[in-house]
């Protein structure tokens, strides 16, 4: 059992203390992140891009995810571990159950699924079977080919209305947490206030219950040399990676990150 549990995160939401979440993919970074006070470690399928060098997350397999989850578990010092179910790993009920079980057995405390209202049934089935779920709304990288690229989602009123409705429906289905990616700040704040579960943002402004970044991004490492608008380089002014990780947690907690320039307008 991790030191940080779902009950902890729920208490943080209720008290107004921000949740610091960061990706890690190996034991060393998991140890460093948890020592810095990161509440939640996300073993993201973003590893397909930052570790494997792919141009999207689509090539990542469940077996690869399980390998990295197990590595993170061995280095983690009390953070809650969330693991992405990768592309097409939850297309059928049988796949969803089997692949989620693999990640939980590898050491995850929660799995994350990308989608919209259609996630309600798999979330319900997983929650019934003791597997907590984080639902990922907004920009969902696994659907990049449908979305036509990495674009802000929810700027049109109909789209925003649907996202609000989806968030509430997925909470009702049993989602234990929401992640909003590249969503207008005002909409993300509305959704955060409309649901009772913790909401984590990335490119969603400061009105969510917490923040997540890809660890490589916040350390100023990039294969392309171009950082997304919502990223801040926390190595600036620090003389160690550990210092940068600690600075990130402090900035999330004191709400100096994200600043207005890291968010998007409608």
């Amino acid at each position: 059992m991790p030191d940080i549990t779902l009950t902890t995160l729920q208490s943080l939401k209720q008290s107004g203390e921000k949740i610091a979440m960061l990706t890690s993919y190996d034991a060393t970074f998991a140890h460093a992140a948890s020592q810095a006070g990161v509440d939640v470690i996300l073993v993201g399928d973003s590893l397909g891009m930052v570790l494997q060098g792919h141009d999207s997350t689509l090539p990542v397999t469940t077996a690869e995810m399980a390998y990295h989850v197990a590595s993170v578990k061995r280095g983690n010092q009390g953070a809650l571990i969330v693991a992405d179910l990768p592309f097409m790993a939850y297309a059928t009920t049988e796949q969803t159950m089997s692949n989620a079980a693999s990640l939980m057995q590898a050491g995850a405390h929660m799995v994350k699924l990308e989608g919209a209202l259609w996630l309600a049934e798999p979330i319900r089935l997983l929650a019934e079977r003791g597997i907590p779920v984080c639902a990922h709304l907004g920009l969902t990288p696994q659907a990049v080919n449908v979305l036509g690229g990495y674009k802000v989602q929810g700027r049109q009123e109909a789209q925003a209305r649907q996202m609000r409705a989806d968030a509430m429906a997925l909470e009702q289905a049993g989602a234990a947490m929401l992640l909003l990616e590249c969503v207008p700040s005002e909409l993300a704040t509305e959704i955060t206030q409309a649901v009772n579960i913790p909401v984590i943002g990335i490119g969603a402004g400061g009105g969510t219950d917490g923040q997540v970044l890809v660890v490589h991004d916040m350390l100023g490492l990039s294969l392309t040399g171009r950082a997304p608008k919502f990223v801040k380089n926390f190595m600036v002014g620090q003389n160690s990676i550990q210092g940068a990780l600690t600075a990130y947690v402090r900035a999330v907690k004191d709400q100096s990150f994200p600043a207005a320039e890291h968010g998007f307008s409608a």
Side-chain angles (χ1 to χ4, degrees):
M1 178 68 69
D3 293 343
I4 303 292
T5 66
L6 288 176
T7 303
T8 313
L9 300 183
Q10 197 66 50
S11 296
L12 291 177
K13 179 183 176 87
Q14 290 167 355
S15 70
E17 180 180 338
K18 298 296 184 179
I19 298 164
M21 185 175 185
L22 196 63
T23 69
S24 293
Y25 314 99
D26 61 41
T28 302
F29 268 98
H31 184 269
S34 52
Q35 288 290 99
V38 168
D39 301 305
V40 184
I41 291 174
L42 171 62
V43 186
D45 58 2
S46 48
L47 67 86
M49 301 172 82
V50 298
L51 297 190
Q52 299 175 337
H54 296 299
D55 61 1
S56 76
T57 62
L58 272 57
V60 179
T61 67
T62 301
E64 290 169 341
M65 289 300 305
Y67 169 87
H68 288 280
V69 169
S71 299
V72 164
K73 176 180 168 50
R74 289 189 284 267
N76 179 39
Q77 299 291 304
L80 185 87
I81 300 173
V82 179
D84 275 339
L85 274 171
F87 178 65
M88 291 301 284
Y90 43 105
T92 68
T93 298
E94 185 178 353
Q95 283 179 317
T96 304
M97 298 299 122
S98 174
N99 291 325
S102 294
L103 297 187
M104 295 295 285
Q105 288 168 340
H109 304 118
M110 173 186 276
V111 297
K112 180 163 75 63
L113 283 65
E114 296 180 13
L117 189 57
W118 67 270
L119 289 177
E121 185 61 11
I123 287 173
R124 184 185 67 78
L125 292 170
L126 289 169
E128 282 179 352
R129 287 155 179 79
I131 299 180
V133 179
C134 174
H136 183 154
L137 299 175
L139 171 58
T140 48
Q142 291 176 16
V144 62
N145 292 305
V146 172
L147 298 174
Y150 298 98
K151 301 175 180 178
V152 178
Q153 302 296 307
R155 278 183 159 152
Q156 294 77 33
E157 179 50 41
Q159 196 182 42
R161 191 163 53 245
Q162 186 62 57
M163 198 182 300
R164 281 191 292 266
D166 289 352
M168 289 185 281
L170 296 181
E171 177 188 20
Q172 192 69 29
M177 190 158 70
L178 283 177
L179 190 148
L180 300 176
E181 180 170 358
C182 290
V183 172
S185 300
E186 187 177 346
L187 173 60
T189 300
E190 289 174 9
I191 291 173
T192 302
Q193 294 170 349
V195 299
N196 295 310
I197 55 177
V199 178
I200 308 296
I202 177 167
T208 54
D209 298 310
Q211 299 295 323
V212 64
L213 285 177
V214 172
V215 66
H216 294 69
D217 287 343
M218 57 78 63
L219 293 176
L221 298 171
S222 172
L223 286 171
T224 65
R226 298 187 309 274
K229 177 185 177 181
F230 53 76
V231 169
K232 178 179 177 179
N233 181 354
F234 282 89
M235 278 301 294
V236 174
Q238 301 296 325
N239 58 13
S240 71
I241 287 173
Q242 193 66 50
L245 297 175
T246 301
Y248 168 72
V249 173
R250 186 167 55 244
V252 170
K253 297 287 186 180
D254 69 19
Q255 301 182 43
S256 59
F257 177 81
E261 67 263 24
H262 299 117
F264 299 97
S265 63

